Amino acid sequence: MTSLVSAVVFLGVQAAAAPPLTLRDCVERALASSPEIRAAEKSWEKAKRDSGLAISALQPKVALEGAKSVTGHNEADRETVLGNTTEDDYELTLSGSWEVLDGGRKWFALKEQRRAADALRFALETEKRNVEARAVANYYLVLLSSRT
C-alpha cells in the first residue's frame, strides 16, 4: 500500500513539473532504483567469482623459489680469490604438483558453486520480473485513480 501511495505522490509531482511518465519510463526507473535488484546482482557477482576460485583448485600448482647466499672469506684466502672477499651462491628451484585423485571432492565443489551461481542468476531475473510487475500494477492504479 505504501508503494501505491508513493507512486501516486511521485506521479502527481511529476505531472505538475514535467510531461507524464510513460509505462516504460516507470518500469525503467523502478528497475534502476530497486535495492533488491542491486543486492541480487551483488550476490550473483560474488557467486560467479567464487566459482572461478573453485575451478582454480582443479589446476596444477607451480612454485618458483630463488635464494642467494653470500659467504665471506677469511684473510688467508683473500689472495687466492684475487681481491674478491665474498662468494655469491645462487639457487633457483621450480616445483609443481597436480592432485589427480581426490575422490571427486574438488569437481563436485566446482559443480556446486556453478549451480549456486545459476540459482542466484535466476533469483535476480525473478526479482527483476517482480519489480516490473509491481511498477506496471502501480502505474495502472495511478491511471485509474486519476480518471475518477
Side-chain angles (χ1 to χ4, degrees), residues 102-141:
D102 68 348
R105 284 181 294 124
K106 293 177 183 173
W107 177 254
F108 288 116
L110 172 63
K111 288 296 207 179
E112 185 177 332
Q113 287 288 350
R114 286 183 176 168
R115 282 189 211 108
D118 287 343
L120 287 170
R121 180 173 52 92
F122 292 132
L124 170 63
E125 290 302 317
T126 301
E127 188 58 41
K128 285 181 180 179
R129 299 298 84 79
N130 288 339
V131 167
E132 286 176 357
R134 288 192 303 265
V136 168
N138 287 336
Y139 184 84
Y140 285 115
L141 287 175

mmCIF file of all heavy atoms in Angstrom, residues 102-141:
data_model
loop_
_atom_site.group_PDB
_atom_site.id
_atom_site.type_symbol
_atom_site.label_atom_id
_atom_site.label_comp_id
_atom_site.label_asym_id
_atom_site.label_seq_id
_atom_site.Cartn_x
_atom_site.Cartn_y
_atom_site.Cartn_z
ATOM 1 N N ASP A 102 41.314 -37.238 -5.900
ATOM 2 C CA ASP A 102 40.830 -36.685 -4.635
ATOM 3 C C ASP A 102 39.418 -37.166 -4.325
ATOM 4 O O ASP A 102 38.730 -36.589 -3.490
ATOM 5 C CB ASP A 102 40.890 -35.162 -4.645
ATOM 6 C CG ASP A 102 39.895 -34.546 -5.613
ATOM 7 O OD1 ASP A 102 39.328 -35.279 -6.433
ATOM 8 O OD2 ASP A 102 39.687 -33.327 -5.548
ATOM 9 N N GLY A 103 38.985 -38.186 -5.019
ATOM 10 C CA GLY A 103 37.642 -38.719 -4.784
ATOM 11 C C GLY A 103 36.542 -37.848 -5.369
ATOM 12 O O GLY A 103 35.383 -38.005 -5.023
ATOM 13 N N GLY A 104 36.899 -36.912 -6.232
ATOM 14 C CA GLY A 104 35.909 -36.032 -6.849
ATOM 15 C C GLY A 104 35.488 -34.851 -6.009
ATOM 16 O O GLY A 104 34.569 -34.126 -6.374
ATOM 17 N N ARG A 105 36.149 -34.649 -4.862
ATOM 18 C CA ARG A 105 35.749 -33.547 -3.972
ATOM 19 C C ARG A 105 35.790 -32.198 -4.685
ATOM 20 O O ARG A 105 34.837 -31.422 -4.611
ATOM 21 C CB ARG A 105 36.658 -33.489 -2.745
ATOM 22 C CG ARG A 105 36.376 -34.536 -1.707
ATOM 23 C CD ARG A 105 37.311 -34.387 -0.502
ATOM 24 N NE ARG A 105 38.687 -34.680 -0.932
ATOM 25 C CZ ARG A 105 39.714 -33.852 -0.780
ATOM 26 N NH1 ARG A 105 39.548 -32.700 -0.192
ATOM 27 N NH2 ARG A 105 40.915 -34.179 -1.197
ATOM 28 N N LYS A 106 36.886 -31.902 -5.354
ATOM 29 C CA LYS A 106 37.036 -30.586 -5.987
ATOM 30 C C LYS A 106 36.081 -30.427 -7.164
ATOM 31 O O LYS A 106 35.532 -29.354 -7.374
ATOM 32 C CB LYS A 106 38.485 -30.392 -6.430
ATOM 33 C CG LYS A 106 39.431 -30.300 -5.264
ATOM 34 C CD LYS A 106 40.856 -30.187 -5.714
ATOM 35 C CE LYS A 106 41.782 -30.178 -4.510
ATOM 36 N NZ LYS A 106 43.168 -30.243 -4.900
ATOM 37 N N TRP A 107 35.890 -31.490 -7.922
ATOM 38 C CA TRP A 107 34.986 -31.422 -9.054
ATOM 39 C C TRP A 107 33.551 -31.156 -8.593
ATOM 40 O O TRP A 107 32.856 -30.321 -9.157
ATOM 41 C CB TRP A 107 35.059 -32.725 -9.852
ATOM 42 C CG TRP A 107 34.106 -32.765 -10.993
ATOM 43 C CD1 TRP A 107 32.955 -33.473 -11.070
ATOM 44 C CD2 TRP A 107 34.209 -32.035 -12.212
ATOM 45 N NE1 TRP A 107 32.325 -33.246 -12.266
ATOM 46 C CE2 TRP A 107 33.080 -32.357 -12.988
ATOM 47 C CE3 TRP A 107 35.137 -31.138 -12.725
ATOM 48 C CZ2 TRP A 107 32.857 -31.818 -14.246
ATOM 49 C CZ3 TRP A 107 34.911 -30.606 -13.988
ATOM 50 C CH2 TRP A 107 33.793 -30.943 -14.727
ATOM 51 N N PHE A 108 33.117 -31.873 -7.562
ATOM 52 C CA PHE A 108 31.763 -31.667 -7.070
ATOM 53 C C PHE A 108 31.608 -30.300 -6.398
ATOM 54 O O PHE A 108 30.542 -29.686 -6.468
ATOM 55 C CB PHE A 108 31.348 -32.802 -6.135
ATOM 56 C CG PHE A 108 31.107 -34.084 -6.861
ATOM 57 C CD1 PHE A 108 31.894 -35.194 -6.622
ATOM 58 C CD2 PHE A 108 30.103 -34.180 -7.808
ATOM 59 C CE1 PHE A 108 31.691 -36.377 -7.310
ATOM 60 C CE2 PHE A 108 29.883 -35.354 -8.499
ATOM 61 C CZ PHE A 108 30.681 -36.464 -8.253
ATOM 62 N N ALA A 109 32.664 -29.807 -5.777
ATOM 63 C CA ALA A 109 32.613 -28.459 -5.200
ATOM 64 C C ALA A 109 32.456 -27.420 -6.302
ATOM 65 O O ALA A 109 31.701 -26.445 -6.156
ATOM 66 C CB ALA A 109 33.874 -28.183 -4.377
ATOM 67 N N LEU A 110 33.147 -27.618 -7.419
ATOM 68 C CA LEU A 110 33.011 -26.706 -8.558
ATOM 69 C C LEU A 110 31.594 -26.754 -9.115
ATOM 70 O O LEU A 110 30.989 -25.713 -9.381
ATOM 71 C CB LEU A 110 34.021 -27.074 -9.645
ATOM 72 C CG LEU A 110 33.873 -26.346 -10.974
ATOM 73 C CD1 LEU A 110 34.082 -24.849 -10.794
ATOM 74 C CD2 LEU A 110 34.836 -26.909 -11.999
ATOM 75 N N LYS A 111 31.062 -27.949 -9.279
ATOM 76 C CA LYS A 111 29.687 -28.083 -9.783
ATOM 77 C C LYS A 111 28.690 -27.404 -8.842
ATOM 78 O O LYS A 111 27.747 -26.738 -9.286
ATOM 79 C CB LYS A 111 29.318 -29.560 -9.951
ATOM 80 C CG LYS A 111 30.000 -30.215 -11.096
ATOM 81 C CD LYS A 111 29.567 -29.573 -12.371
ATOM 82 C CE LYS A 111 29.664 -30.527 -13.521
ATOM 83 N NZ LYS A 111 29.219 -29.903 -14.754
ATOM 84 N N GLU A 112 28.892 -27.552 -7.541
ATOM 85 C CA GLU A 112 28.001 -26.926 -6.567
ATOM 86 C C GLU A 112 28.072 -25.401 -6.654
ATOM 87 O O GLU A 112 27.045 -24.721 -6.598
ATOM 88 C CB GLU A 112 28.378 -27.388 -5.161
ATOM 89 C CG GLU A 112 27.447 -26.899 -4.081
ATOM 90 C CD GLU A 112 27.819 -27.431 -2.718
ATOM 91 O OE1 GLU A 112 28.408 -28.515 -2.635
ATOM 92 O OE2 GLU A 112 27.512 -26.737 -1.735
ATOM 93 N N GLN A 113 29.280 -24.866 -6.815
ATOM 94 C CA GLN A 113 29.441 -23.414 -6.954
ATOM 95 C C GLN A 113 28.734 -22.914 -8.211
ATOM 96 O O GLN A 113 28.089 -21.864 -8.196
ATOM 97 C CB GLN A 113 30.924 -23.030 -7.011
ATOM 98 C CG GLN A 113 31.636 -23.138 -5.708
ATOM 99 C CD GLN A 113 31.213 -22.039 -4.756
ATOM 100 O OE1 GLN A 113 30.531 -21.089 -5.124
ATOM 101 N NE2 GLN A 113 31.595 -22.173 -3.517
ATOM 102 N N ARG A 114 28.859 -23.650 -9.296
ATOM 103 C CA ARG A 114 28.203 -23.229 -10.539
ATOM 104 C C ARG A 114 26.684 -23.295 -10.417
ATOM 105 O O ARG A 114 25.980 -22.421 -10.928
ATOM 106 C CB ARG A 114 28.679 -24.097 -11.701
ATOM 107 C CG ARG A 114 30.092 -23.754 -12.119
ATOM 108 C CD ARG A 114 30.527 -24.551 -13.310
ATOM 109 N NE ARG A 114 31.847 -24.139 -13.754
ATOM 110 C CZ ARG A 114 32.567 -24.811 -14.618
ATOM 111 N NH1 ARG A 114 32.098 -25.940 -15.146
ATOM 112 N NH2 ARG A 114 33.752 -24.377 -14.977
ATOM 113 N N ARG A 115 26.184 -24.317 -9.740
ATOM 114 C CA ARG A 115 24.730 -24.400 -9.523
ATOM 115 C C ARG A 115 24.241 -23.256 -8.656
ATOM 116 O O ARG A 115 23.168 -22.695 -8.894
ATOM 117 C CB ARG A 115 24.363 -25.743 -8.897
ATOM 118 C CG ARG A 115 24.339 -26.870 -9.888
ATOM 119 C CD ARG A 115 23.747 -28.141 -9.273
ATOM 120 N NE ARG A 115 24.372 -29.272 -9.904
ATOM 121 C CZ ARG A 115 25.264 -30.071 -9.330
ATOM 122 N NH1 ARG A 115 25.598 -29.909 -8.080
ATOM 123 N NH2 ARG A 115 25.802 -31.062 -9.997
ATOM 124 N N ALA A 116 25.024 -22.902 -7.648
ATOM 125 C CA ALA A 116 24.647 -21.781 -6.783
ATOM 126 C C ALA A 116 24.630 -20.472 -7.578
ATOM 127 O O ALA A 116 23.723 -19.647 -7.407
ATOM 128 C CB ALA A 116 25.615 -21.677 -5.605
ATOM 129 N N ALA A 117 25.608 -20.282 -8.466
ATOM 130 C CA ALA A 117 25.636 -19.075 -9.299
ATOM 131 C C ALA A 117 24.427 -19.048 -10.236
ATOM 132 O O ALA A 117 23.807 -17.991 -10.420
ATOM 133 C CB ALA A 117 26.940 -19.005 -10.091
ATOM 134 N N ASP A 118 24.086 -20.185 -10.817
ATOM 135 C CA ASP A 118 22.899 -20.246 -11.678
ATOM 136 C C ASP A 118 21.629 -19.930 -10.908
ATOM 137 O O ASP A 118 20.753 -19.206 -11.395
ATOM 138 C CB ASP A 118 22.774 -21.624 -12.330
ATOM 139 C CG ASP A 118 23.799 -21.840 -13.432
ATOM 140 O OD1 ASP A 118 24.390 -20.849 -13.907
ATOM 141 O OD2 ASP A 118 24.010 -23.015 -13.807
ATOM 142 N N ALA A 119 21.512 -20.471 -9.704
ATOM 143 C CA ALA A 119 20.329 -20.206 -8.882
ATOM 144 C C ALA A 119 20.216 -18.714 -8.557
ATOM 145 O O ALA A 119 19.118 -18.143 -8.595
ATOM 146 C CB ALA A 119 20.382 -21.025 -7.597
ATOM 147 N N LEU A 120 21.352 -18.080 -8.263
ATOM 148 C CA LEU A 120 21.310 -16.645 -7.966
ATOM 149 C C LEU A 120 21.006 -15.818 -9.209
ATOM 150 O O LEU A 120 20.366 -14.774 -9.129
ATOM 151 C CB LEU A 120 22.624 -16.204 -7.331
ATOM 152 C CG LEU A 120 22.806 -16.679 -5.891
ATOM 153 C CD1 LEU A 120 24.227 -16.412 -5.408
ATOM 154 C CD2 LEU A 120 21.797 -16.013 -4.973
ATOM 155 N N ARG A 121 21.447 -16.282 -10.369
ATOM 156 C CA ARG A 121 21.103 -15.582 -11.616
ATOM 157 C C ARG A 121 19.601 -15.669 -11.856
ATOM 158 O O ARG A 121 18.955 -14.676 -12.221
ATOM 159 C CB ARG A 121 21.864 -16.194 -12.788
ATOM 160 C CG ARG A 121 21.565 -15.510 -14.113
ATOM 161 C CD ARG A 121 22.459 -16.016 -15.223
ATOM 162 N NE ARG A 121 22.460 -17.452 -15.354
ATOM 163 C CZ ARG A 121 21.650 -18.139 -16.161
ATOM 164 N NH1 ARG A 121 20.759 -17.506 -16.889
ATOM 165 N NH2 ARG A 121 21.741 -19.452 -16.232
ATOM 166 N N PHE A 122 19.013 -16.844 -11.628
ATOM 167 C CA PHE A 122 17.571 -16.992 -11.790
ATOM 168 C C PHE A 122 16.819 -16.161 -10.752
ATOM 169 O O PHE A 122 15.767 -15.577 -11.050
ATOM 170 C CB PHE A 122 17.155 -18.457 -11.706
ATOM 171 C CG PHE A 122 17.644 -19.275 -12.866
ATOM 172 C CD1 PHE A 122 18.260 -20.492 -12.656
ATOM 173 C CD2 PHE A 122 17.505 -18.829 -14.169
ATOM 174 C CE1 PHE A 122 18.725 -21.253 -13.723
ATOM 175 C CE2 PHE A 122 17.958 -19.574 -15.242
ATOM 176 C CZ PHE A 122 18.576 -20.795 -15.017
ATOM 177 N N ALA A 123 17.352 -16.083 -9.532
ATOM 178 C CA ALA A 123 16.721 -15.258 -8.496
ATOM 179 C C ALA A 123 16.754 -13.788 -8.895
ATOM 180 O O ALA A 123 15.792 -13.043 -8.657
ATOM 181 C CB ALA A 123 17.421 -15.471 -7.158
ATOM 182 N N LEU A 124 17.859 -13.354 -9.508
ATOM 183 C CA LEU A 124 17.956 -11.972 -9.984
ATOM 184 C C LEU A 124 16.913 -11.699 -11.058
ATOM 185 O O LEU A 124 16.221 -10.674 -11.010
ATOM 186 C CB LEU A 124 19.360 -11.705 -10.520
ATOM 187 C CG LEU A 124 19.578 -10.388 -11.264
ATOM 188 C CD1 LEU A 124 19.346 -9.212 -10.336
ATOM 189 C CD2 LEU A 124 20.970 -10.338 -11.869
ATOM 190 N N GLU A 125 16.782 -12.599 -12.012
ATOM 191 C CA GLU A 125 15.781 -12.409 -13.068
ATOM 192 C C GLU A 125 14.363 -12.417 -12.500
ATOM 193 O O GLU A 125 13.514 -11.637 -12.929
ATOM 194 C CB GLU A 125 15.935 -13.493 -14.146
ATOM 195 C CG GLU A 125 17.180 -13.337 -14.967
ATOM 196 C CD GLU A 125 17.279 -11.990 -15.667
ATOM 197 O OE1 GLU A 125 16.266 -11.515 -16.217
ATOM 198 O OE2 GLU A 125 18.374 -11.404 -15.656
ATOM 199 N N THR A 126 14.116 -13.269 -11.532
ATOM 200 C CA THR A 126 12.796 -13.299 -10.892
ATOM 201 C C THR A 126 12.509 -11.982 -10.185
ATOM 202 O O THR A 126 11.400 -11.439 -10.288
ATOM 203 C CB THR A 126 12.719 -14.464 -9.887
ATOM 204 O OG1 THR A 126 12.950 -15.689 -10.580
ATOM 205 C CG2 THR A 126 11.378 -14.519 -9.194
ATOM 206 N N GLU A 127 13.505 -11.453 -9.497
ATOM 207 C CA GLU A 127 13.320 -10.173 -8.799
ATOM 208 C C GLU A 127 13.068 -9.047 -9.792
ATOM 209 O O GLU A 127 12.242 -8.167 -9.546
ATOM 210 C CB GLU A 127 14.547 -9.860 -7.929
ATOM 211 C CG GLU A 127 14.360 -8.669 -7.029
ATOM 212 C CD GLU A 127 13.181 -8.809 -6.084
ATOM 213 O OE1 GLU A 127 12.959 -9.887 -5.531
ATOM 214 O OE2 GLU A 127 12.459 -7.799 -5.900
ATOM 215 N N LYS A 128 13.755 -9.070 -10.923
ATOM 216 C CA LYS A 128 13.504 -8.049 -11.951
ATOM 217 C C LYS A 128 12.069 -8.133 -12.462
ATOM 218 O O LYS A 128 11.400 -7.104 -12.626
ATOM 219 C CB LYS A 128 14.480 -8.220 -13.119
ATOM 220 C CG LYS A 128 15.868 -7.745 -12.826
ATOM 221 C CD LYS A 128 16.756 -7.925 -14.050
ATOM 222 C CE LYS A 128 18.167 -7.453 -13.789
ATOM 223 N NZ LYS A 128 19.026 -7.650 -14.980
ATOM 224 N N ARG A 129 11.601 -9.359 -12.719
ATOM 225 C CA ARG A 129 10.221 -9.510 -13.204
ATOM 226 C C ARG A 129 9.220 -9.054 -12.130
ATOM 227 O O ARG A 129 8.192 -8.459 -12.454
ATOM 228 C CB ARG A 129 9.928 -10.968 -13.578
ATOM 229 C CG ARG A 129 10.789 -11.557 -14.685
ATOM 230 C CD ARG A 129 10.680 -10.887 -16.050
ATOM 231 N NE ARG A 129 11.480 -9.723 -16.290
ATOM 232 C CZ ARG A 129 12.797 -9.676 -16.594
ATOM 233 N NH1 ARG A 129 13.478 -10.773 -16.669
ATOM 234 N NH2 ARG A 129 13.401 -8.538 -16.813
ATOM 235 N N ASN A 130 9.507 -9.325 -10.857
ATOM 236 C CA ASN A 130 8.615 -8.880 -9.785
ATOM 237 C C ASN A 130 8.567 -7.362 -9.697
ATOM 238 O O ASN A 130 7.499 -6.770 -9.508
ATOM 239 C CB ASN A 130 9.056 -9.465 -8.445
ATOM 240 C CG ASN A 130 8.780 -10.945 -8.338
ATOM 241 O OD1 ASN A 130 7.940 -11.485 -9.060
ATOM 242 N ND2 ASN A 130 9.496 -11.608 -7.455
ATOM 243 N N VAL A 131 9.716 -6.711 -9.816
ATOM 244 C CA VAL A 131 9.755 -5.243 -9.772
ATOM 245 C C VAL A 131 8.998 -4.669 -10.967
ATOM 246 O O VAL A 131 8.237 -3.709 -10.829
ATOM 247 C CB VAL A 131 11.213 -4.742 -9.727
ATOM 248 C CG1 VAL A 131 11.296 -3.253 -9.988
ATOM 249 C CG2 VAL A 131 11.841 -5.077 -8.385
ATOM 250 N N GLU A 132 9.186 -5.255 -12.143
ATOM 251 C CA GLU A 132 8.448 -4.796 -13.319
ATOM 252 C C GLU A 132 6.942 -4.942 -13.116
ATOM 253 O O GLU A 132 6.176 -4.036 -13.445
ATOM 254 C CB GLU A 132 8.872 -5.593 -14.558
ATOM 255 C CG GLU A 132 10.228 -5.235 -15.082
ATOM 256 C CD GLU A 132 10.630 -6.119 -16.254
ATOM 257 O OE1 GLU A 132 9.867 -7.052 -16.632
ATOM 258 O OE2 GLU A 132 11.724 -5.880 -16.791
ATOM 259 N N ALA A 133 6.521 -6.088 -12.574
ATOM 260 C CA ALA A 133 5.088 -6.318 -12.362
ATOM 261 C C ALA A 133 4.510 -5.320 -11.374
ATOM 262 O O ALA A 133 3.405 -4.790 -11.586
ATOM 263 C CB ALA A 133 4.864 -7.752 -11.872
ATOM 264 N N ARG A 134 5.253 -5.041 -10.275
ATOM 265 C CA ARG A 134 4.766 -4.046 -9.306
ATOM 266 C C ARG A 134 4.694 -2.661 -9.924
ATOM 267 O O ARG A 134 3.739 -1.907 -9.669
ATOM 268 C CB ARG A 134 5.658 -4.036 -8.068
ATOM 269 C CG ARG A 134 5.481 -5.262 -7.180
ATOM 270 C CD ARG A 134 6.145 -5.091 -5.823
ATOM 271 N NE ARG A 134 7.567 -4.783 -5.899
ATOM 272 C CZ ARG A 134 8.545 -5.675 -5.818
ATOM 273 N NH1 ARG A 134 8.257 -6.956 -5.662
ATOM 274 N NH2 ARG A 134 9.810 -5.301 -5.886
ATOM 275 N N ALA A 135 5.678 -2.313 -10.754
ATOM 276 C CA ALA A 135 5.672 -0.996 -11.399
ATOM 277 C C ALA A 135 4.490 -0.869 -12.355
ATOM 278 O O ALA A 135 3.813 0.168 -12.379
ATOM 279 C CB ALA A 135 6.987 -0.756 -12.136
ATOM 280 N N VAL A 136 4.211 -1.907 -13.126
ATOM 281 C CA VAL A 136 3.086 -1.871 -14.065
ATOM 282 C C VAL A 136 1.765 -1.782 -13.300
ATOM 283 O O VAL A 136 0.882 -0.979 -13.640
ATOM 284 C CB VAL A 136 3.111 -3.114 -14.983
ATOM 285 C CG1 VAL A 136 1.813 -3.250 -15.765
ATOM 286 C CG2 VAL A 136 4.297 -3.035 -15.936
ATOM 287 N N ALA A 137 1.633 -2.578 -12.236
ATOM 288 C CA ALA A 137 0.391 -2.546 -11.449
ATOM 289 C C ALA A 137 0.178 -1.171 -10.822
ATOM 290 O O ALA A 137 -0.936 -0.626 -10.871
ATOM 291 C CB ALA A 137 0.439 -3.622 -10.367
ATOM 292 N N ASN A 138 1.231 -0.605 -10.265
ATOM 293 C CA ASN A 138 1.106 0.727 -9.656
ATOM 294 C C ASN A 138 0.818 1.798 -10.708
ATOM 295 O O ASN A 138 0.054 2.734 -10.452
ATOM 296 C CB ASN A 138 2.375 1.085 -8.881
ATOM 297 C CG ASN A 138 2.501 0.305 -7.601
ATOM 298 O OD1 ASN A 138 1.510 -0.165 -7.045
ATOM 299 N ND2 ASN A 138 3.722 0.129 -7.134
ATOM 300 N N TYR A 139 1.396 1.665 -11.891
ATOM 301 C CA TYR A 139 1.150 2.628 -12.962
ATOM 302 C C TYR A 139 -0.330 2.635 -13.338
ATOM 303 O O TYR A 139 -0.952 3.684 -13.450
ATOM 304 C CB TYR A 139 2.021 2.277 -14.168
ATOM 305 C CG TYR A 139 1.919 3.263 -15.301
ATOM 306 C CD1 TYR A 139 2.694 4.415 -15.297
ATOM 307 C CD2 TYR A 139 1.083 3.033 -16.377
ATOM 308 C CE1 TYR A 139 2.619 5.328 -16.331
ATOM 309 C CE2 TYR A 139 0.999 3.931 -17.417
ATOM 310 C CZ TYR A 139 1.760 5.082 -17.403
ATOM 311 O OH TYR A 139 1.683 5.984 -18.430
ATOM 312 N N TYR A 140 -0.889 1.427 -13.517
ATOM 313 C CA TYR A 140 -2.295 1.355 -13.891
ATOM 314 C C TYR A 140 -3.215 1.780 -12.759
ATOM 315 O O TYR A 140 -4.272 2.385 -13.018
ATOM 316 C CB TYR A 140 -2.646 -0.039 -14.424
ATOM 317 C CG TYR A 140 -2.113 -0.240 -15.817
ATOM 318 C CD1 TYR A 140 -1.140 -1.186 -16.077
ATOM 319 C CD2 TYR A 140 -2.562 0.539 -16.878
ATOM 320 C CE1 TYR A 140 -0.643 -1.359 -17.361
ATOM 321 C CE2 TYR A 140 -2.068 0.381 -18.148
ATOM 322 C CZ TYR A 140 -1.101 -0.561 -18.383
ATOM 323 O OH TYR A 140 -0.619 -0.722 -19.636
ATOM 324 N N LEU A 141 -2.835 1.521 -11.529
ATOM 325 C CA LEU A 141 -3.636 2.008 -10.403
ATOM 326 C C LEU A 141 -3.649 3.522 -10.355
ATOM 327 O O LEU A 141 -4.683 4.154 -10.069
ATOM 328 C CB LEU A 141 -3.120 1.425 -9.096
ATOM 329 C CG LEU A 141 -3.430 -0.044 -8.856
ATOM 330 C CD1 LEU A 141 -2.750 -0.534 -7.578
ATOM 331 C CD2 LEU A 141 -4.939 -0.275 -8.785
#
